[in-house]
Amino acid sequence: MTQPQQALVASDSDQNPMNLPDPMADLVCPLDEIFDRAAIGAALAQAAEDSSSSGDPLRPAVVAILLEARKRGNVAIEAGFLANPFDAMAMKLSYTWLTDCLVGAAFHVATKWLHPLPNPTEGERIALLAVGGYGRGEMAPQSDVDLLFLTPYKITAWAESVIESMLYILWDLRLKVGHASRTVKDCLRLGGEDYTIRTALLEHRYLQGHVPLADELSTRLENDLFKGSEREFIEAKLEERDNRHKKQGERYVVEPNVKEGKGGLRDLQSMFWIAKYVYHVQSSTDLLDLGLLREDEYERFAQANNFLWAVRGHIHILAKRPVEQLTFDMQVEVAERLHYTDKGGRRAVEHFMQDYFRHATSVGDLTRILLTKLEADHAKAAPLYERLFRRRPRMKAGYKVINNRLAIADEEVFLADKVNLLRLFEEGLRTGLLIHPDAMRLVTANLHLIDAEMRKNKEVRRIFLDLLLKHGNPERALRRMNELGVLSAFIPEFEPIVAMMQFNMYHAYTVDEHTIQVISNYAQIEREELQVELPLSSSIIKDGVNRKVLMVAMLLHDIGKGRDIDHSILGAQIARKVAPNLGLNKADCDTVEWLVRYHLLMSDTAQKRDIADPRTVRDFAKAVSTVDRLNLLTVLTVCDIRGVGPDTWNNWKAALVRSLYNQTERVLKNGMEALTRENRGTEAKKKLRAELSDWPAKDLKKETGRHYDPYWQGLHITAHTVFAEMLRGIDDDEIRIDLHPDEDRAATRACFAMADHPGIFSRMCGALALVGANIVDARTFTSKDGYATAAFWIQDVEGKPYEANRLKRLTQMIEKTLKGEVIAGEAMRSRDVIKKRERAFKVPTTITFDNEGSEIYTIIQVDTRDRPGLLFDLTRTLANNNVYIASAVIATYGEQVVDSFYVKDMFGLKFHSQSKQQMLERKLREALEKGTERANS
């Protein structure tokens, strides 16, 4: 316990009439700017005198004085912290001292003026203590104030009055007070039953009142509660930490919780609690003095602690409430307050978050180091049965097993051959044992041994490739090598992407973690764990691919990220240098370079282009050129998309990739002639005749003759059948709608049939947007007899097909809009809104016109910021400028969307004219600007 004579120095009574404490260390600004003890003490004394003479209640006057003092103190601390935004130690001590003064003043008022007791009996003593974070002296701007009112026996009427008056004053000051009134005996009993209470008591700190009573608590806690229960406390804290990590998720969650998340402040605090409980440390420097941490490790501890506290302090000030999650919008503001700047092609917020994740990784390393020491001192013996019958793996020379972990037998011998720095990870995978933290510590301290000479060593190259290919779980070795810095030391080009965050809503992981997730996906496919979910990739791998090429391409595919140049181009250049260093031959190096350069080609083609257009498939087949490369690229694409985040891969993307693969394989095996419009049209009509075999020949002839060629190549037989039924007997003023779940594509297929007229496609987009549907693909066709047939694939807000019980109401709402009963443009205003936390994302708009990607259409591609009414705005603008839209392909990447429109002009021709293209681009940009302004208002 912190005693008044230890941490707090008594002040001159004139300057400090309420005997309030001095601060424990330097603050962010002069003391009197935070809390002028002399002036406020005099003001309170005057208020007490005025109350005594006038008979007016004292508490309102006290609250007014202290509330003003609190506001002034908060303003002063915030200004001082903003001027020195990384001075977290001074910030948290400043808020602690301000709170000490406010609590102390309330205690002074309650005991001196509201409930004076000149000669208290032994039972009427009271001690006021801070507990928890407040007791530790670590207060963030919006932290709770946890107080313990300690009495020797059952609480007396006087003590109850003092506590009640104090709490009312503190509540009126708008402090978030957590409090308990207990005897020493109560504290021991409750601390013995509840580890949360025990942890809070571990960090109690004397504030005001009867010192001997506080001393008694300290002595009794140590002797009667803490001593002898170290192992149980460690296990309780570690279990609590594991549960917290399960709840909060991975260390690299893109919106991390600074306090509770993996690698956050709570992990550091847990480490300190355990050290305090077991080794009686009083400050973090004791970790160094006791040899629990080396000097470089302590420096990392101090830096991580300071950084995380600085971030937490700024979050609280910005949010004006106790927010602990570093949300996207908050990340931008905190980065600005910490003076990060845009540089090297990356935003300030991305540099900031890279530092955040690197500190979070350090916290994990340091936790392991301390737990190793604790484990050695307080290890539980394994059960006898386990010791007798557990089969230990046979170890290679130089290694041993400590607490079921792989350890190094002789550090000096180990370091004599620097190749051992990689052999350690190979042995870990071979035996299935986790690496002992002391071994990790040794590796981290000797990373300088991994030099150019070692990288050229053939044995080292063999070991590294075996880690990727031989043991079946490469992700485990790669993740540990990455955390310890070995991966970056062995492949220096990997270092820039370590902990690199991509500031968008699409990527759920940092770049290095994404890379490991991609490789993990591949390993799962090889282990035949994803045969049902990924049948195509599973069959490709089962039939055989060049595993070495594929694995190295996966490792390097995003290595060029974070620079001004296209990461695929830069990554290919880096791969050209790195692949030979890993021992690959010339042919394999060329294939790796090609895969890295074009690792987005299949994904972009499948998601941003109309793969029902033969030109799309032919151009893709030409770029891929061989079935072997197609197989490699397909597996890389699938693993890459799945590695973006837990819910990124879905049936819709699977169907697109599978369709593109099958068509491309057919072209590569049978020639380009395998995919012609004529062949597709003839085949589609043949299938429809078979499907509608019960129709009269006259009706069948009318249906197969009423559509142009693009209709037959652009839709599946199921859609052709639906449209045939919808068009049969349709009236000119009739609107027919069919909504049907398409489980294979994880979407609902919405089919429309009605008389064609200008702008109809835009009105359909508006109707779907109004019901909250997310359009992922669309096809529209005009028949020779003047009917519009349109097929949309839509998903609900969760990216899933609509439930069957919602389809009837959806149909009614869509029909109202199409009939003009609801005006889409007006109704969209209240719905077309970007959420506040998502407004921090900036997506530059690019608009391109492609006349080569399709034989008969111009492809207008709009890459911009997504929002609910975007597609309606774009299609309405195109319709108003006499642009006929044949199909729209929508690819969404978090907050970014790429809408590709296959269009013709009013005469059925492509848009070749430069002036016409420029005019359309200008109109589209104007519509986007107006829509964005509306969505952000």
Side-chain angles (χ1 to χ4, degrees):
M1 182 189 75
T2 305
Q3 296 287 348
Q5 65 270 27
Q6 292 172 329
L8 314 170
V9 181
S11 304
D12 182 84
S13 59
D14 291 339
Q15 294 300 310
N16 188 9
M18 294 181 286
N19 197 31
L20 298 178
D22 284 341
M24 291 179 267
D26 292 339
L27 307 183
V28 294
C29 60
L31 268 66
D32 287 349
E33 290 182 20
I34 297 174
F35 195 93
D36 189 337
R37 291 175 290 185
I40 294 166
L44 290 173
Q46 185 61 53
E49 190 177 320
D50 294 345
S51 171
S52 178
S53 58
S54 67
D56 293 335
L58 175 58
R59 200 177 91 207
V62 169
V63 168
I65 293 166
L66 293 181
L67 192 58
E68 179 58 33
R70 185 184 178 218
K71 286 178 183 174
R72 195 165 53 244
N74 281 335
V75 168
I77 297 171
E78 187 176 333
F81 187 39
L82 192 57
N84 296 284
F86 277 105
D87 200 353
M89 178 66 74
M91 176 273 295
K92 60 186 180 182
L93 288 177
S94 296
Y95 282 113
T96 299
W97 186 68
L98 174 59
T99 308
D100 283 353
C101 291
L102 293 169
V103 171
F107 185 85
H108 183 77
V109 169
T111 54
K112 183 170 183 178
W113 294 311
L114 292 178
H115 310 287
L117 190 64
N119 299 302
T121 64
E122 189 61 33
E124 289 174 322
R125 303 289 185 183
I126 189 169
L128 178 60
L129 291 88
V131 293
Y134 179 34
R136 195 166 57 246
E138 292 188 334
M139 291 284 281
Q142 298 289 332
S143 288
D144 291 351
V145 180
D146 291 324
L147 298 173
L148 173 62
F149 295 96
L150 192 64
T151 57
Y153 314 112
K154 186 179 177 183
I155 195 165
T156 64
W158 171 81
E160 195 170 338
S161 299
V162 168
I163 294 168
E164 185 178 311
S165 294
M166 263 197 76
L167 290 174
Y168 276 122
I169 291 171
L170 297 176
W171 288 331
D172 288 345
L173 293 179
R174 296 165 201 159
L175 292 170
K176 295 177 286 295
V177 182
H179 64 94
S181 305
R182 293 180 185 139
T183 63
V184 172
K185 195 174 179 181
D186 290 337
C187 291
L188 294 171
R189 178 176 54 81
L190 293 169
E193 296 169 356
D194 189 318
Y195 281 102
T196 303
I197 294 173
R198 191 184 305 196
T199 306
L201 289 170
L202 177 66
E203 299 192 294
H204 69 280
R205 177 170 61 92
Y206 172 85
L207 293 175
Q208 298 284 340
H210 194 51
V211 174
L213 189 56
D215 287 342
E216 183 190 347
L217 177 66
S218 294
T219 305
R220 294 285 303 280
L221 283 174
E222 179 57 41
N223 294 335
D224 300 351
L225 183 61
F226 299 162
K227 194 178 287 183
S229 62
E230 290 85 357
R231 184 186 294 164
E232 289 78 5
F233 184 80
I234 292 168
E235 289 174 0
K237 287 292 121 185
L238 294 185
E239 184 182 355
E240 185 182 287
R241 184 195 65 166
D242 292 342
N243 291 336
R244 189 173 66 250
H245 288 174
K246 282 177 190 171
K247 184 179 177 183
Q248 291 294 330
E250 295 292 325
R251 180 179 297 128
Y252 301 109
V253 173
V254 288
E255 290 185 295
N257 188 304
V258 179
K259 183 180 177 184
E260 303 288 349
K262 197 170 185 179
L265 280 168
R266 187 65 84 204
D267 280 358
L268 280 177
Q269 288 161 1
S270 296
M271 189 164 81
F272 188 74
W273 287 332
I274 292 171
K276 186 168 186 175
Y277 201 96
V278 176
Y279 300 108
H280 310 292
V281 302
Q282 294 302 317
S283 71
S284 58
T285 52
D286 293 344
L287 298 171
L288 187 61
D289 298 337
L290 289 168
L292 297 174
L293 295 177
R294 293 196 310 253
E295 203 159 320
D296 61 313
E297 293 164 347
Y298 173 73
E299 188 62 31
R300 285 165 62 206
F301 174 94
Q303 288 174 357
N305 190 50
N306 188 74
F307 183 90
L308 293 171
W309 265 105
V311 171
R312 188 182 183 211
H314 290 298
I315 293 175
H316 278 210
I317 290 170
L318 288 164
K320 294 183 173 57
R321 55 195 180 93
V323 171
E324 307 299 349
Q325 191 168 18
L326 197 48
T327 54
F328 292 126
D329 55 328
M330 195 64 78
Q331 289 169 18
V332 175
E333 294 185 75
V334 173
E336 188 179 336
R337 289 175 74 100
L338 293 173
H339 301 162
Y340 282 86
T341 56
D342 298 352
K343 59 183 177 183
R346 296 172 64 209
R347 291 182 63 181
V349 65
E350 292 177 314
H351 291 289
F352 161 58
M353 290 306 295
Q354 185 167 26
D355 283 351
Y356 178 91
F357 288 122
R358 287 188 171 185
H359 284 300
T361 301
S362 286
V363 172
D365 293 342
L366 295 166
T367 304
R368 269 196 309 271
I369 289 164
L370 182 65
L371 293 183
T372 305
K373 172 68 176 165
L374 293 166
E375 195 174 56
D377 293 348
H378 298 275
K380 279 174 93 170
L384 180 63
Y385 177 87
E386 197 174 319
R387 279 181 279 158
L388 288 173
F389 296 103
R390 186 176 61 200
R391 190 174 174 182
R392 285 177 177 264
R394 184 171 294 186
M395 310 303 298
K396 287 187 177 178
Y399 299 101
K400 61 182 179 180
V401 178
I402 298 177
N403 293 324
N404 203 32
R405 289 190 177 92
L406 178 65
I408 293 163
D410 186 317
E411 293 188 357
E412 201 172 312
V413 172
F414 179 85
L415 292 174
D417 182 0
K418 53 191 178 185
V419 178
N420 284 330
L421 293 172
L422 243 63
R423 285 196 186 108
L424 174 67
F425 298 96
E426 182 180 40
E427 186 68 1
L429 287 188
R430 188 188 69 79
T431 60
L433 291 172
L434 295 174
I435 298 172
H436 195 279
D438 278 349
M440 296 186 211
R441 203 174 184 185
L442 186 68
V443 169
T444 305
N446 291 279
L447 290 175
H448 61 279
L449 296 177
I450 304 176
D451 54 14
E453 179 194 359
M454 180 175 164
R455 293 183 201 107
K456 292 175 184 172
N457 186 306
K458 286 186 178 179
E459 173 68 0
V460 169
R461 292 172 173 179
R462 179 203 64 75
I463 292 170
F464 185 76
L465 288 175
D466 280 356
L467 288 173
L468 296 179
L469 299 166
K470 189 175 177 181
H471 302 283
N473 52 352
E475 68 276 14
R476 199 181 98 187
L478 285 173
R479 187 170 283 114
R480 187 63 75 224
M481 289 170 72
N482 187 39
E483 288 176 354
L484 299 180
V486 175
L487 194 54
S488 294
F490 183 64
I491 305 175
E493 295 82 0
F494 196 84
E495 200 278 335
I497 64 168
V498 173
M500 179 188 284
M501 181 219 191
Q502 300 164 89
F503 189 67
N504 56 52
M505 291 167 59
Y506 182 57
H507 292 91
Y509 304 109
T510 53
V511 180
D512 55 335
E513 179 62 19
H514 160 72
T515 300
I516 294 169
Q517 291 285 342
V518 170
I519 289 170
S520 176
N521 283 320
Y522 173 73
Q524 284 180 274
I525 298 170
E526 279 207 322
R527 295 195 295 264
E528 299 185 352
E529 294 171 7
L530 300 174
Q531 286 180 304
V532 174
E533 194 174 340
L534 302 176
L536 175 60
S537 297
S538 297
S539 66
I540 289 172
I541 288 175
K542 194 170 184 180
D543 291 343
V545 291
N546 189 325
R547 298 173 66 241
K548 188 192 298 182
V549 162
L550 189 53
M551 189 65 86
V552 173
M554 287 177 175
L555 182 66
L556 303 179
H557 79 284
D558 274 350
I559 204 165
K561 281 200 167 176
R563 268 58 69 94
D564 284 325
I565 188 171
D566 181 328
H567 82 278
S568 298
I569 296 171
L570 180 59
Q573 294 168 0
I574 294 171
R576 191 184 308 156
K577 176 186 171 186
V578 173
N581 292 342
L582 296 178
L584 273 66
N585 62 39
K586 176 74 168 62
D588 286 351
C589 287
D590 288 345
T591 306
V592 167
E593 183 183 342
W594 183 88
L595 283 169
V596 174
R597 172 66 184 87
Y598 295 105
H599 72 272
L600 294 176
L601 178 64
M602 189 172 204
S603 173
D604 285 349
T605 303
Q607 295 185 75
K608 298 179 185 177
R609 287 292 179 264
D610 183 356
I611 56 176
D613 189 324
R615 173 70 70 88
T616 300
V617 179
R618 286 206 295 267
D619 287 349
F620 177 70
K622 195 173 177 182
V624 174
S625 74
T626 69
V627 173
D628 283 344
R629 281 192 172 180
L630 174 65
N631 288 336
L632 291 167
L633 184 58
T634 301
V635 176
L636 174 56
T637 299
V638 171
C639 293
D640 191 16
I641 296 173
R642 278 177 59 90
V644 167
D647 303 314
T648 309
W649 179 259
N650 54 34
N651 283 357
W652 176 256
K653 288 171 185 165
L656 293 176
V657 169
R658 190 162 53 242
S659 175
L660 180 58
Y661 175 88
N662 290 334
Q663 293 179 77
T664 307
E665 184 187 39
R666 190 172 160 197
V667 166
L668 291 173
K669 286 182 175 177
N670 303 323
M672 297 294 181
E673 299 74 26
L675 291 179
T676 63
R677 292 180 183 279
E678 293 75 17
N679 286 351
R680 281 188 169 188
T682 304
E683 200 173 311
K685 290 175 186 177
K686 185 178 177 183
K687 285 181 179 177
L688 184 64
R689 289 189 189 100
E691 195 70 26
L692 302 177
S693 56
D694 57 337
W695 276 33
K698 182 183 173 184
D699 289 356
L700 258 179
K701 187 177 181 181
K702 181 182 179 182
E703 178 57 29
T704 54
R706 79 193 315 169
H707 301 288
Y708 295 104
D709 286 344
Y711 174 86
W712 297 109
Q713 72 180 44
L715 294 171
H716 189 265
I717 179 59
T718 53
H720 288 151
T721 307
V722 170
F723 279 125
E725 297 285 1
M726 292 172 77
L727 288 169
R728 196 178 189 187
I730 191 171
D731 294 328
D732 287 349
D733 60 350
E734 192 177 355
I735 297 172
R736 291 186 177 179
I737 303 170
D738 178 85
L739 300 185
H740 187 79
D742 188 341
E743 298 298 339
D744 288 342
R745 295 191 174 196
T748 297
R749 188 189 63 224
C751 292
F752 300 88
M754 67 195 82
D756 191 26
H757 56 79
I760 189 66
F761 184 78
S762 176
R763 283 179 61 190
M764 292 180 206
C765 290
L768 291 169
L770 277 180
V771 297
N774 177 33
I775 301 169
V776 291
D777 201 0
R779 301 274 186 280
T780 181
F781 309 95
T782 303
S783 66
K784 295 173 185 176
D785 53 350
Y787 286 98
T789 51
F792 291 81
W793 280 264
I794 59 176
Q795 294 173 334
D796 63 16
V797 290
E798 295 178 354
K800 296 175 181 175
Y802 281 92
E803 294 173 5
N805 59 7
R806 295 179 63 190
L807 297 182
K808 185 177 179 182
R809 187 161 181 270
L810 274 175
T811 304
Q812 292 168 348
M813 292 167 71
I814 293 167
E815 199 166 351
K816 279 185 178 181
T817 308
L818 291 175
K819 287 179 176 178
E821 294 173 24
V822 177
I823 307 302
E826 294 174 8
M828 276 305 300
R829 283 176 191 154
S830 61
R831 302 185 184 218
D832 192 11
V833 177
I834 296 175
K835 296 173 185 174
K836 181 180 179 292
R837 68 177 276 272
E838 297 173 5
R839 290 180 187 174
F841 298 108
K842 310 295 180 194
V843 180
T845 295
T846 57
I847 300 174
T848 58
F849 291 78
D850 177 7
N851 281 309
E852 303 301 321
S854 176
E855 291 173 359
I856 58 176
Y857 299 111
T858 294
I859 305 169
I860 301 177
Q861 181 172 298
V862 182
D863 187 337
T864 191
R865 177 71 164 82
D866 196 16
R867 54 184 172 79
L870 175 69
L871 191 61
F872 175 59
D873 284 349
L874 293 175
T875 53
R876 183 172 55 175
T877 302
L878 292 173
N880 290 343
N881 287 278
N882 300 313
V883 177
Y884 168 70
I885 304 170
S887 63
V889 180
I890 294 92
T892 306
Y893 306 90
E895 78 284 359
Q896 178 185 4
V897 66
V898 180
D899 290 344
S900 301
F901 302 99
Y902 284 67
V903 303
K904 294 178 181 179
D905 66 13
M906 59 193 299
F907 303 108
L909 303 173
K910 289 185 178 184
F911 288 92
H912 285 290
S913 163
Q914 194 74 26
S915 60
K916 193 69 187 277
Q917 288 183 11
Q918 289 171 348
M919 182 275 292
L920 279 176
E921 181 173 349
R922 188 176 70 253
K923 297 280 188 183
L924 287 169
R925 286 187 180 276
E926 286 171 3
L928 288 172
E929 285 169 14
K930 285 179 185 174
T932 302
E933 194 176 317
R934 182 179 66 238
N936 283 317
S937 60

